[in-house]
């Protein structure tokens, strides 16, 4: 297997490029799996779990049985959907933590290389700069152990989010040295390309000067270009009638957004206050959010909320997630960031606390995700009196991550629990000791297992 990484600035078109390549590969008969990393890193190995979930849910049973004949029970820990489709997989007692993790990784590698023997296999992983360390370790293991298979991983990442000491850089440097990785840098469109894009979008050539003006401002960043064009048409400055594009007012009269942030601000300012309120609340839930949690948060009539979200969807601010009823995502991470950063920090903390309380009441299918969500929201609310809940939930999330061999994630959860414990008025010394022990154990396993199966890691 090999990995091709597409890097570039936010909004330059990395995800879209990956999606188009995936579509083309699928059209050519390749099997395509897709997963993305989340800013909250809800579950360890999230992109793999997402990708494999889909496969596990749709593959014929006997095929699945033979693909997971070895190590199926380890795989089922990472991908709970497997246990649901193949009930009765033995629940093995934990053995040596290093070997357990190795076996779990092997079970993923075996499944994927099995798939890649039948047809070309493309695994798309979006937003790798947000990947947790267990995900990167699994990726590395996968590529090393399937050197001869035809698996191709296509990953995207935001260059600006990845410094030299970022964990993704460590992984990519190693993989590059081993000849398993190739990098592509995606830049904004050139002026000529932008002219072509505008013509394709408007069905006619751009009026003189427009392409240059947009290019100067956006440097060909596609997200920015899209917001800019929307602004021009929304304000009526650019008309698309009679098969031609015409500027009805000079650009300096219309005003030109100076940054992506400003463009998003203009876009959002066209929505009415109620819709904006709902969107701000949704931004607290994350890039992706579910309507029922949002409804409870807004404490409003479902209908009204639904209308607000429908309006936002019609305006291209949010999108319904394919294949999941009542699940939405902001059309772009930058939109979510803008909304989220407009909320003052005391209110933010209060909202996170509310969300935590709501999720506590809701049954969800996957206990792992729920634990991590609770840990996330309560730790954001720890400074305003939710420290005890934060400690409890971070600790549980840590324990859960340990059972998934995600030792680095577990260590982080324990560390967050310890931080929150500092904020508890009368901190419990026993609790602190236990958390420190947990952290020690997670770190211990981490060091041991990164030595195992790795040829060139010196830390
Ligand atoms: N070649 C293209 N033609 C038309 N529109 C495009 C093209 N590439 C990207 N876009 C649009 O530009 C916007 C931003 O693209 P995309 O989401 O792929 O950016 P990104 O690089 O993944 O950003 P981020 O780093 O924030 O994830 C999207 O609305 C996308 O549909
Ligand atoms: Mg993207």
């Amino acid at each position: 297997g090999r990995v091709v990484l597409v890097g570039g600035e936010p909004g330059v078109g990395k995800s879209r490029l990956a999606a188009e390549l995936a579509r083309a590969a699928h059209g050519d008969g390749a099997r395509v799996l897709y997963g993305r990393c989340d800013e909250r890193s809800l579950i360890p190995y999230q992109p793999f779990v997402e990708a494999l979930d889909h496969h596990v849910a749709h593959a014929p049973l006997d095929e699945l049985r033979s693909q997971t004949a070895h190590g199926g029970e380890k795989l089922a820990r990472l991908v709970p959907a497997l246990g649901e489709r193949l009930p009765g997989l033995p629940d093995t007692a934990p053995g040596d933590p290093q070997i357990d993790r190795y076996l779990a990784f092997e079970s993923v590698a075996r499944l994927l290389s099995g798939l890649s023997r039948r047809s070309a296999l493309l695994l798309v992983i979006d937003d790798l700069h947000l990947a947790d360390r267990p995900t990167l370790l699994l990726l590395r293991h996968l590529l090393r152990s399937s050197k001869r298979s035809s698996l191709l991983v296509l990953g995207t990442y935001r260059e600006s989010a990845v410094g030299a000491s970022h964990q993704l850089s460590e992984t990519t440097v190693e993989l590059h040295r081993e000849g398993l990785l190739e990098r592509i840098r995606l830049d904004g469109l050139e002026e000529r390309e932008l002219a072509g894009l505008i013509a394709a979008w408007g069905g006619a050539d751009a009026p003189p000067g427009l392409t240059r003006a947009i290019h100067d401002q956006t440097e060909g960043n596609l997200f920015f270009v899209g917001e800019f064009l929307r602004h021009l048409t929304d304000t009526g400055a650019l008309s698309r009638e009679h098969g031609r594009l015409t500027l009805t007012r000079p650009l300096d009269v219309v005003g030109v957004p100076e940054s992506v942030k400003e463009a998003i601000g203009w876009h959002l300012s066209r929505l009415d206050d109620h819709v904006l309120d709902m969107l701000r609340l949704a931004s607290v839930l994350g890039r992706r959010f579910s309507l029922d949690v949002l409804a409870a948060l807004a404490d409003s009539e479902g209908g009204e909320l639904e209308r607000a979200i429908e309006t936002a969807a019609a305006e291209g601010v949010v999108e319904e997630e394919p294949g999941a009823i009542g699940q939405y995502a902001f059309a772009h991470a930058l939109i979510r960031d803008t909304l989220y950063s407009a909320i003052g920090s005391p209110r933010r903390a209060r909202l996170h606390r509310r969300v935590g309380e709501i999720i506590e009441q809701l049954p969800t299918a996957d206990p792992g995700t729920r634990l991590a969500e609770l840990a996330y929201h309560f730790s954001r609310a720890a400074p305003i009196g939710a420290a005890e809940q934060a400690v409890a939930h971070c600790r549980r999330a840590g324990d859960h991550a340990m059972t998934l061999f995600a030792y680095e994630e577990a260590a982080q959860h324990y560390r967050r629990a310890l931080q929150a414990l500092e904020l508890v008025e009368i901190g419990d010394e026993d609790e602190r000791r236990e958390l420190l022990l947990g952290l020690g154990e997670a770190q211990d396993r981490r060091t041991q297992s990164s030595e195992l199966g790795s040829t060139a890691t010196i830390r």
Side-chain angles (χ1 to χ4, degrees):
R2 281 185 328 131
V3 58
V4 175
L5 281 191
V6 180
E9 293 314 299
V12 77
K14 305 177 295 293
S15 302
R16 175 75 179 266
L17 176 64
E20 297 293 337
L21 289 172
R23 207 189 317 270
H26 184 75
D28 288 344
R31 190 193 287 260
V32 177
L33 299 176
Y34 174 89
R36 62 179 153 178
C37 309
D38 196 280
E39 78 266 22
R40 293 167 300 168
S41 174
L42 281 186
I43 36 176
Y45 323 108
Q46 180 159 337
F48 287 101
V49 174
E50 259 182 46
L52 292 177
D53 246 354
H54 186 82
H55 170 69
V56 162
H58 294 94
L61 267 182
D62 41 337
E63 187 183 308
L64 203 55
R65 221 171 264 126
S66 71
Q67 283 164 347
T68 58
H70 296 283
E73 72 287 348
K74 292 271 181 324
L75 190 61
R77 280 220 228 157
L78 309 196
V79 188
L82 181 61
E84 282 159 34
R85 282 212 74 197
L86 297 180
L89 286 170
D91 193 13
T92 45
D96 182 298
Q98 321 157 44
I99 295 181
D100 279 349
R101 166 134 95 181
Y102 181 81
L103 292 176
F105 284 10
E106 270 298 298
S107 67
V108 175
R110 204 173 295 124
L111 174 59
L112 290 176
S113 44
L115 286 178
S116 72
R117 265 195 294 277
R118 309 168 127 227
S119 60
L121 179 62
L122 176 66
L123 170 61
V124 177
I125 305 184
D126 207 3
D127 291 335
L128 264 173
H129 57 282
L130 300 173
D132 54 34
R133 197 179 281 273
T135 298
L136 296 174
L137 290 174
L138 175 51
L139 177 65
R140 191 181 72 180
H141 182 96
L142 188 65
L143 295 166
R144 284 182 179 160
S145 72
S146 60
K147 280 191 179 138
R148 280 182 316 272
S149 88
S150 68
L151 167 70
L152 179 65
V153 180
L154 178 62
T156 71
Y157 71 102
R158 279 190 185 174
E159 240 162 35
S160 51
V162 177
S165 62
H166 192 277
Q167 51 194 20
L168 179 60
S169 305
E170 285 175 26
T171 310
T172 54
V173 166
E174 279 177 34
L175 291 174
H176 185 70
R177 199 168 42 213
E178 294 165 38
L180 297 171
L181 175 134
E182 224 173 289
R183 251 186 259 262
I184 298 176
R185 200 198 130 85
L186 194 59
D187 286 315
L189 296 186
E190 300 194 352
E191 200 176 316
R192 189 175 35 83
E193 298 165 323
L194 180 61
L197 182 83
I198 296 177
W201 164 81
D205 280 344
L210 180 66
T211 308
R212 161 77 41 95
I214 296 184
H215 192 262
D216 282 352
Q217 214 58 32
T218 62
E219 294 178 348
N221 178 299
L222 282 151
F223 176 72
F224 197 177
V225 169
E227 291 290 306
F228 201 153
L229 286 172
R230 173 190 292 276
H231 171 64
L232 291 177
T233 43
D234 280 358
T235 53
L238 183 65
S239 93
R240 299 166 67 170
E241 279 162 9
H242 318 301
R244 353 185 351 191
L245 288 173
T246 337
L247 270 179
T248 58
R249 274 166 270 162
L251 278 180
D252 46 342
V253 179
V254 190
V256 167
E258 294 202 342
S259 62
V260 177
K261 259 216 143 95
E262 193 178 54
I264 295 175
W266 285 356
H267 185 169
L268 295 175
S269 68
R270 300 180 57 81
L271 301 170
D272 53 74
D273 286 346
H274 173 66
V275 177
L276 268 182
D277 276 348
M278 292 299 137
L279 288 174
R280 267 188 219 113
L281 293 180
S283 77
V284 176
L285 303 181
R287 166 100 191 256
R288 297 190 249 186
F289 57 92
S290 83
L291 225 45
D292 51 350
V293 179
L294 181 58
L297 181 62
D299 203 18
S300 69
E301 294 294 292
E304 213 185 323
L305 170 68
E306 273 170 27
R307 262 202 304 284
I309 295 303
E310 277 163 19
T311 312
E315 289 288 332
V317 175
V318 299
E319 288 161 357
E320 193 159 8
E321 296 258 271
I325 293 169
Q327 296 286 332
Y328 284 83
F330 285 100
H332 206 274
L334 295 170
I335 297 179
R336 187 254 167 182
D337 297 347
T338 307
L339 287 159
Y340 187 70
S341 60
I343 309 173
S345 50
R347 174 150 190 252
R348 233 191 256 177
R350 205 161 37 73
L351 289 171
H352 276 297
R353 180 182 191 154
R354 260 310 280 148
V355 176
E357 289 162 358
I358 291 166
I359 296 175
E360 266 183 326
Q361 305 297 323
L362 282 178
T364 40
D366 178 26
T369 323
R370 184 159 178 271
L371 282 175
E373 289 228 45
L374 289 170
Y376 169 77
H377 289 293
F378 280 119
S379 18
R380 297 267 158 141
I384 58 152
E388 278 177 47
Q389 286 112 307
V391 175
H393 287 298
C394 289
R395 179 171 177 178
R396 259 178 246 145
D399 295 346
H400 182 68
M402 288 292 263
T403 69
L404 300 181
F405 327 107
Y407 309 127
E408 297 78 5
E409 278 291 284
Q412 268 201 19
H413 284 301
Y414 291 137
R415 241 179 259 121
R416 278 195 205 114
L418 283 162
Q419 276 166 13
L421 192 61
E422 299 282 310
L423 299 169
V424 178
E425 291 221 339
I426 311 161
D428 181 340
E429 265 315 300
D430 288 341
E431 175 109 66
R432 208 175 112 74
R433 219 173 3 255
E434 282 165 26
L435 282 170
L436 281 169
L437 282 176
L439 176 61
E441 170 137 26
Q443 283 176 331
D444 207 33
R445 293 187 180 188
R446 180 197 68 189
T447 0
Q448 293 174 350
S449 58
S450 60
E451 281 157 17
L452 184 89
S454 95
T455 47
T457 349
I458 302 159
R459 305 216 69 227

